Structures are given as C-alpha cells and as structure tokens.
Amino acid sequence: MSTTAGTVQAGQATDIRRHELAGFLRSRRERITPEQVGLDRGPRRRTPGLRREEVAQLSAVGVTWYTWLEQARPIQVSAQVLDALARALLLDAGERAHLFSLAGAVDPAPGTPCPTITPALREMLARLDPFPACVQNSRYDILAYNRAYSVLMCDLDAVPPEDRNCILLAFTNEEWRSALGNRDETVRIMAAKFRAAMAEHLAEPPWKTLLGRLRAASPEFREIWERHEVVAPVGDRTKRFVNARVGQLNLEHTNLWLGPASGPRLVTYVPVDEESRLRLEKLARIPKDREAQAPALVSAASARA
C-alpha cells in the first residue's frame, strides 16, 4: 500500500515539474522579440514574442518535439537540448539554472560549479598526500586535486583552470608529456577512450569545444583521431611516470566512481614498490617555490612561452 502511494506521489511530482517547465518555457518565449534574435517580425505576427517554430529553429530541435515540451507531454529532455534552449531564449544564469532544475538535469555548461566537489571530498584529497589524487569527469577535466598531484607531471597550479584537462595537457603541454611513461601508447589510448565516451555527448557544447581545441592544437591528436579507435574504460593498473624532481615513479592507478560510471571519479595513485614510495615522500618535502631552480622545469616553461 505504501509503495503504491509513493509511486503515485512520485508521479504527481513529475507531472507538476513538467507543467512548471512548460509554463517557464512559454513565458520566456513570449518575452523575446524577433528582433532580439535576428528574425523578421513580419506583418501578420499575432503571437507575443517568438513563435514555437522559431524557438525550435533557433534551438535546432523539432517543432513537434518543442510543442510537446510546452504542452507538458511526458518526454525526455537531454542536457544538450536544454543548453540549446537556454541560448535561444537568452536566459541569464539564474534562469538557466532554474531551467535545468525543472528538467531534473545537470547543466553541462563550461564553468558551472561542480556539485561533486564538496568540502569533505577536498579534505579527503588533502589527507591522501603524499599519494597523488584528483577528481576528474568523463571529459578528463581536472575538477580538484591535492598537492602531490599538482607536482606529479607539471606545476598544475600554474596551468589556467580552463586548460586543466588531462587529454589536453597530454597532447599540448611538453612538461606533462615528458612525465608520461610510454607516452605514445598512453596518448593513443586516451584519445580512443575520449572518442568512446563522446559517443553519448556528440551535441554537447563542452565536448565539442574540447574536441575543437584538441584538433586545432595538436597534429598528433588529429592523426590519432582519424583512426576512429575506441577503447572501453579499463580497471586499475600500474602506470609509470618520470618526475623531473625525483625520477621514475611506478604507481597503481585506481578509479573510485562518485556516481554513474560516466560521471566524476576520484583518481588515486599509490606506489607499487618501496623506491616509488620513498620518491613520493621526497617529492612532498620539496617546497614548490624551489621548482624554478630545476633546470628541466625552467626549459619547459621557456618552451611554452
């Protein structure tokens, strides 16, 4: 009996949410003039604001589908479609957040604060030192990291936040690339994993933007990308890094998923031998302000400049 009541309540809540979403979209559509989005008003316009077919056109979605959305029909709405609608309807940050909340979806826009990175998770990352650890999403964006990870392959703190992406760094940052053991195989596998993951996000702006940056910045990536190789995510394994300060590190790589397998994950690196453990501890004792004294790092920085 209680299960049935819970199901009915959940259905009612979903129905209310759909009607709220429909009303919100309709109100936003009616407040925008055709001139604001570069359309001709025409002599016979009776609808206040934009017509449904104009919103559909601007958002690159079907007219029937958008009409059903405003009619509160029980249809699924993807994050990429919501993103397109938000842009077409000229929503500000608050309105955009409200749109995604009503649709029960996660906003994929670049720069959106990640709800996964809680103070507790940041504390966990800090406590893992001197073992390198970070939080990544399925796009390889580095969302948070501890001190050990920040010096594992390059001075990550010096990298602009918008460039803190593992695959982007692996193809464009010489310091990061030089730290990768078996670099050629590593970047090939990363590109193949990225292609496999992108199959579910082909129309999403953040994914398209990252792909465009990679193709523009790296001939090597373009050549690998054209092979159309795909690789499914693999389990834990040992990776080799060559750190400019302490030398070779053999570390066991582990993914701890913080949600669905396609979502954010906690990535940790634990030494697999005593020498790697001692070198990580040595790395932790090196003050970051001494990094400029390392000739290898100076030359890498000069090369980037």
Side-chain angles (χ1 to χ4, degrees):
M1 187 70 175
S2 59
T3 301
T4 302
T7 302
V8 170
Q9 289 179 350
Q12 291 174 340
T14 301
D15 187 60
I16 292 172
R17 186 187 295 271
R18 282 201 307 268
H19 280 84
E20 284 290 325
L21 176 61
F24 181 66
L25 288 172
R26 187 162 51 251
S27 70
R28 300 303 91 177
R29 171 174 62 82
E30 292 175 350
R31 73 172 184 174
I32 299 175
T33 65
E35 293 82 2
Q36 285 180 279
V37 291
L39 297 177
D40 183 19
R41 172 173 291 276
R44 298 183 179 179
R45 181 176 296 269
R46 297 178 181 177
T47 304
L50 296 178
R51 301 185 179 99
R52 286 174 175 171
E53 57 267 28
E54 290 171 333
V55 175
Q57 175 189 345
L58 292 168
S59 308
V61 300
V63 177
T64 300
W65 186 92
Y66 180 76
T67 300
W68 287 351
L69 194 57
E70 278 202 10
Q71 292 174 344
R73 299 276 190 100
I75 58 177
Q76 295 295 319
V77 190
S78 67
Q80 58 265 35
V81 168
L82 291 170
D83 177 78
L85 288 172
R87 295 174 189 273
L89 295 171
L90 307 179
L91 302 187
D92 62 25
E95 292 168 333
R96 181 187 176 97
H98 186 62
L99 173 69
F100 277 85
S101 177
L102 288 176
V106 177
D107 189 345
T112 301
C114 178
T116 305
I117 310 303
T118 62
L121 185 52
R122 292 189 184 278
E123 177 69 14
M124 181 186 299
L125 287 171
R127 294 288 181 175
L128 286 171
D129 268 323
F131 296 164
C134 70
V135 177
Q136 298 177 20
N137 60 18
S138 57
R139 244 182 358 257
Y140 287 103
D141 293 329
I142 302 169
L143 308 178
Y145 54 90
N146 63 8
R147 185 196 183 282
Y149 189 84
S150 76
V151 295
L152 178 61
M153 288 169 280
C154 73
D155 180 6
L156 193 56
D157 289 344
V159 175
E162 63 271 19
D163 294 340
R164 292 174 190 166
N165 175 281
C166 291
I167 190 169
L168 183 66
L169 292 169
F171 279 98
T172 64
N173 184 292
E174 288 304 319
E175 188 180 343
W176 187 285
R177 288 166 61 81
S178 66
L180 296 174
N182 195 15
R183 181 180 62 193
D184 292 345
E185 181 68 8
T186 297
V187 296
R188 183 188 69 81
I189 291 175
M190 289 184 74
K193 286 183 179 179
F194 180 64
R195 179 179 279 281
M198 192 169 179
E200 298 181 3
H201 308 276
L202 291 174
E204 295 181 20
W207 289 77
K208 293 165 64 177
T209 298
L210 176 57
L211 177 59
R213 292 190 65 187
L214 286 163
R215 291 176 65 92
S218 173
E220 180 185 16
F221 175 83
R222 291 197 299 271
E223 191 275 327
I224 295 174
W225 189 254
E226 292 306 317
R227 300 177 194 172
H228 289 264
E229 294 180 339
V230 292
V231 175
V234 297
D236 307 339
R237 64 190 186 283
T238 299
K239 289 190 174 183
R240 180 171 62 87
F241 300 95
V242 182
N243 185 272
R245 305 162 190 78
V246 298
Q248 181 171 319
L249 296 166
N250 301 312
L251 307 177
E252 184 175 354
H253 166 274
T254 302
N255 284 323
L256 300 175
W257 301 101
L258 304 178
S262 61
R265 60 190 181 275
L266 174 65
V267 181
T268 61
Y269 295 92
V270 177
V272 299
D273 53 58
E274 183 65 10
E275 186 62 29
S276 294
R277 184 185 66 80
L278 293 174
R279 289 177 177 177
L280 276 180
E281 292 177 353
K282 178 182 177 181
L283 184 61
R285 294 194 296 269
I286 299 176
K288 294 194 72 174
D289 59 5
R290 287 179 52 193
E291 293 176 2
Q293 300 176 18
L297 296 184
V298 172
S299 62
S302 300
R304 289 200 303 276

